[in-house]
Amino acid sequence: MHIFLMRHAEDTPRNSVGPRCDGDMRLLTSVGRRQAADAARWFASRRITELRTSSLTRARQCADVLAGALGLPVQEDPRLNEIVSESGDRGLPPPRERRNSRHPRGVESWDEFLGRVARCLSDLCREPAAERRIVLVTHSGFFDAMHELIGGGGKRMELQVEHVGITHWQYRPGCPAGTWLLHRHNLTPAPSAPSSSAASGGVARIDGAQT
């Protein structure tokens, strides 16, 4: 089974919609819509069988673009949402530091978020057919959580993920070389038209390094 994580495309800045950092008011920009179309073209040759998305609007808008190009229905799954961070408390630690800290009601701790991501992955892995090729349109925190769950050890991990950055994991239970294989991380599909950033399009990056 192949899982393609894709971060949503460029959206309106967080501070343009008020202090709520996980609110559902952030929409794709014109650049973001073009990025989503570029991603759809990249996925067109990958034999995708399923398309799932976070329920937040900026992710759902991306998934709708992919669905139109791939001819697949969109399955909405709130477990793909970013870590819940609604709070006016400026003293709240960053999401990945919320392991043992006290936090307001309605805000997820990192451990709670890990549990949500783990349940999502567990459900996907119940049917690990080789022909399954699943796109998950999600948010940067999901990449970090999935990497931490697969790697084990509970160590803090933060990955660089660009807008429409794609990470490709393969789940292969019983394989003596390892259950999970990372094919690529943070690949950004090349834009359809030449631009100043075209030279870096389609390059996979791991923690900022080209690979």
Side-chain angles (χ1 to χ4, degrees):
M1 178 178 69
H2 295 262
I3 295 177
F4 298 85
L5 300 184
M6 189 185 88
R7 187 186 175 200
H8 62 82
E10 181 185 275
D11 59 322
T12 49
R14 183 175 298 173
N15 59 10
S16 70
V17 293
R20 294 170 47 150
C21 63
D22 73 329
D24 201 19
M25 299 172 62
R26 293 163 58 186
L27 309 177
L28 296 188
T29 63
S30 58
V31 170
R33 289 190 291 273
R34 290 195 297 272
Q35 290 174 333
D38 292 335
R41 280 187 285 272
W42 188 86
F43 279 119
S45 62
R46 265 70 189 184
R47 306 189 311 279
I48 302 304
T49 60
E50 299 173 44
L51 176 58
R52 304 183 182 218
T53 183
S54 151
S55 64
L56 298 181
T57 301
R58 57 192 184 274
R60 179 64 200 233
Q61 287 180 317
C62 285
D64 287 341
V65 173
L66 268 59
L70 301 177
L72 292 172
V74 179
Q75 301 177 59
E76 202 168 277
D77 187 345
R79 294 176 300 183
L80 296 170
N81 290 10
E82 184 60 285
I83 186 170
V84 178
S85 302
E86 293 184 20
S87 175
D89 183 1
R90 294 183 180 273
L92 187 67
R96 295 161 190 84
E97 303 296 342
R98 289 186 222 145
R99 293 191 183 275
N100 301 310
S101 63
R102 296 173 62 86
H103 49 276
R105 179 177 298 179
V107 171
E108 277 183 307
S109 70
W110 185 251
D111 288 337
E112 289 167 337
F113 180 55
L114 279 178
R116 167 156 64 89
V117 173
R119 289 188 293 274
C120 178
L121 294 177
S122 178
D123 285 349
L124 291 175
C125 292
R126 286 197 178 102
E127 298 180 25
E131 63 272 15
R132 288 185 79 190
R133 302 177 71 86
I134 310 164
V135 173
L136 304 179
V137 184
T138 184
H139 307 264
S140 60
F142 195 98
F143 289 72
D144 297 346
M146 182 171 176
H147 192 281
E148 183 172 321
L149 288 166
I150 291 173
K155 294 183 178 179
R156 183 183 186 277
M157 174 64 68
E158 185 171 3
L159 302 176
Q160 177 70 27
V161 186
E162 307 296 337
H163 287 120
V164 298
I166 296 167
T167 292
H168 176 190
W169 286 99
Q170 183 179 358
Y171 178 61
R172 29 182 217 176
C175 178
T179 302
W180 290 94
L181 174 64
L182 177 62
H183 287 265
R184 54 174 61 88
H185 170 66
N186 197 26
L187 180 145
T188 52
S192 55
S195 70
S196 59
S197 61
S200 63
V203 175
R205 301 173 188 274
I206 298 182
D207 292 337
Q210 295 185 2
T211 68

